[in-house]
Amino acid sequence: MFAILAALPLETDLLRARLSPCEVRRCGRRDLLLGTLHNQRIALLHTGVGKSNAAAATTALLEHYRPTAILLTGCAGAYAGSGLDVGDLALADEEIFGDEGVVTADGFLDMADLGFPLTRVGEQSYYNRFPLDKSLRNRALPLVETAAQAANRRLASGAFITVSSCSGTLRDGTQLGQRWGGLCENMEGAAVAQVCALYGVPLLEVRGISNMVEDRDLSRWDLRGAARLAQGAVESILSGWTPSQEPA
């Protein structure tokens, strides 16, 4: 079973319309939708916006269900220099807590600088960076490329940055993107990745670019278009997945 997570119903409207049959259960005080999509068993959950909502929802899901993998989808803002534009697709190979640390007069100190891991799993300590499952990402890449080509849009794969406060200026976004080497920013991904690392569940994340990270101008945003493009990528993954590709 795949679990599909998104922050908001806007980011799953097409998927929910095609999820059949659909059973609604409660999961950690949230509605969990269970059904079938492209011959795959699916659990679909809306986390709400932000890290705390994402962590709580993912924890509740993994305490009650054991999906073979989580597919996280939604929108993101692309950094200048990423090669991405509004309406393009991004596939994550790692998630980064971009603003966990300390801002000092001499610059930013991350959790590794401070010596405080956010999570330990066995002998592995995780600070700001959470690598996503490489095998799952590599299997999904050609399927997401198919969705991008069908929509005549670009696809980039790389690091995603998760923030508590989105960058509303070009200066702040450029600084954050350069600090971590990220393609785009969102508000949930690293929290989901942290919980997945704790529970040993592989994570795949694909997002549509709804805006550029620049001096904030909502007239240039396209949340709905980006969400629908990302859902098309999720459907491409599900329709092209075979039993032999199930994550271990």
Side-chain angles (χ1 to χ4, degrees), residues 104-148:
T104 76
D106 297 320
F108 181 78
L109 300 177
D110 64 24
M111 300 306 294
D113 294 326
L114 298 175
F116 299 132
L118 292 174
T119 299
R120 285 193 178 95
V121 181
E123 299 299 315
Q124 177 71 49
S125 293
Y126 295 90
Y127 294 91
N128 291 66
R129 295 180 179 272
F130 286 80
L132 271 61
D133 186 274
K134 184 180 293 185
S135 174
L136 194 64
R137 178 260 179 205
N138 289 343
R139 292 170 182 175
L141 179 59
L143 301 173
V144 180
E145 286 176 336
T146 297

Side-chain angles (χ1 to χ4, degrees), residues 15 17 25 62 73 89 110 129 141 159 191 240 246:
L15 299 174
R25 297 184 185 177
L62 297 183
T73 190
L89 278 169
D110 64 24
R129 295 180 179 272
L141 179 59
E246 283 292 308

Side-chain angles (χ1 to χ4, degrees), residues 20-198:
S20 177
C22 184
E23 177 187 358
V24 181
R25 297 184 185 177
R26 294 293 281 172
C27 179
R29 298 183 180 272
R30 293 171 171 84
D31 285 341
L32 178 71
L33 308 183
L34 298 172
T36 301
L37 185 60
H38 295 291
N39 297 315
Q40 305 284 352
R41 292 174 54 241
I42 298 298
L44 189 151
L45 184 67
H46 299 119
T47 66
V49 173
K51 299 172 187 173
S52 58
N53 275 328
T58 307
T59 300
L61 173 71
L62 297 183
E63 282 290 324
H64 292 90
Y65 297 89
R66 198 64 177 179
T68 53
I70 286 180
L71 276 65
L72 177 60
T73 190
C75 299
Y79 294 118
S82 65
L84 293 168
D85 203 348
V86 174
D88 289 335
L89 278 169
L91 180 67
D93 58 28
E94 78 174 320
E95 264 287 3
I96 302 168
F97 282 99
D99 47 16
E100 251 72 4
V102 177
V103 178
T104 76
D106 297 320
F108 181 78
L109 300 177
D110 64 24
M111 300 306 294
D113 294 326
L114 298 175
F116 299 132
L118 292 174
T119 299
R120 285 193 178 95
V121 181
E123 299 299 315
Q124 177 71 49
S125 293
Y126 295 90
Y127 294 91
N128 291 66
R129 295 180 179 272
F130 286 80
L132 271 61
D133 186 274
K134 184 180 293 185
S135 174
L136 194 64
R137 178 260 179 205
N138 289 343
R139 292 170 182 175
L141 179 59
L143 301 173
V144 180
E145 286 176 336
T146 297
Q149 290 167 3
N152 196 29
R153 304 305 305 185
R154 284 171 288 185
L155 167 68
S157 183
F160 288 13
I161 300 174
T162 299
V163 293
S164 294
S165 297
C166 291
S167 304
T169 68
L170 177 61
R171 181 198 63 191
D172 290 341
T174 299
Q175 184 181 59
L176 193 62
Q178 290 178 347
R179 176 188 299 157
W180 297 110
L183 293 175
C184 57
E185 68 179 39
N186 70 94
M187 300 182 74
E188 298 83 27
V192 176
Q194 180 179 356
V195 175
C196 285
L198 281 169

